Amino acid sequence: VQLQASGGGVVQPGGSLRLSCSASGFALDSYAAGWFRQAPGKEREGITCLSSGNARIYYADSVKGRFTISRDNGKNTVYLQMNNLKPEDTGVYYCAAPCDHVRGSDRYTDVWGQGTQVTVSS
């Protein structure tokens, strides 16, 4: 049972990145799946979570209107499209399952990806 995150990198403010999280050993579409991030010197926070049926989505206020979560069940993968990136989006991004699509907490999370670094800097 494993999650593998990829797609991080260095981008200028206003730029875009797409993160991918591929699952192995279990069917990701059976679970709420989402993304957390940990900025330097800060605690890890939940930024988005997509329910198993895709009917409910949690977004942290800091990313609403800029980030979009989606999944491809055929590829057993969840994505995070990040647009209009800001320096405060810098951090390590972790995919996780299950996640809390109401409050964005990690109280249900059993499986974590390894983290991918996103740096937003001019």
Side-chain angles (χ1 to χ4, degrees):
V1 174
Q2 189 175 359
L3 292 172
Q4 181 73 35
S6 61
V10 180
V11 63
Q12 292 186 341
S16 298
L17 282 174
R18 188 176 81 153
L19 307 184
S20 300
C21 176
S22 297
S24 59
F26 70 107
L28 190 58
D29 60 355
S30 295
Y31 301 91
W35 295 88
F36 293 73
R37 74 181 175 195
Q38 187 164 22
K42 295 186 177 181
E43 294 187 355
R44 187 168 57 193
E45 62 170 336
I47 57 172
T48 183
C49 178
L50 177 63
S51 66
S52 60
N54 298 340
R56 298 181 180 182
I57 306 176
Y58 167 87
Y59 287 109
D61 288 342
S62 58
V63 306
K64 281 181 182 176
R66 301 187 297 121
F67 290 12
T68 303
I69 188 171
S70 62
R71 66 167 92 219
D72 184 332
N73 293 336
K75 295 183 178 180
N76 212 23
T77 298
V78 65
Y79 302 97
L80 181 64
Q81 178 66 43
M82 306 186 293
N83 297 329
N84 191 21
L85 283 160
K86 304 176 180 181
E88 52 263 41
D89 294 317
T90 294
V92 180
Y93 284 68
Y94 300 89
C95 57
C99 55
D100 180 355
H101 59 74
V102 176
R103 297 181 176 84
S105 75
D106 63 359
R107 59 180 175 165
Y108 303 127
T109 301
D110 291 322
V111 185
W112 294 91
Q114 85 285 9
T116 184
Q117 176 71 44
V118 172
T119 301
V120 185
S121 174
S122 56

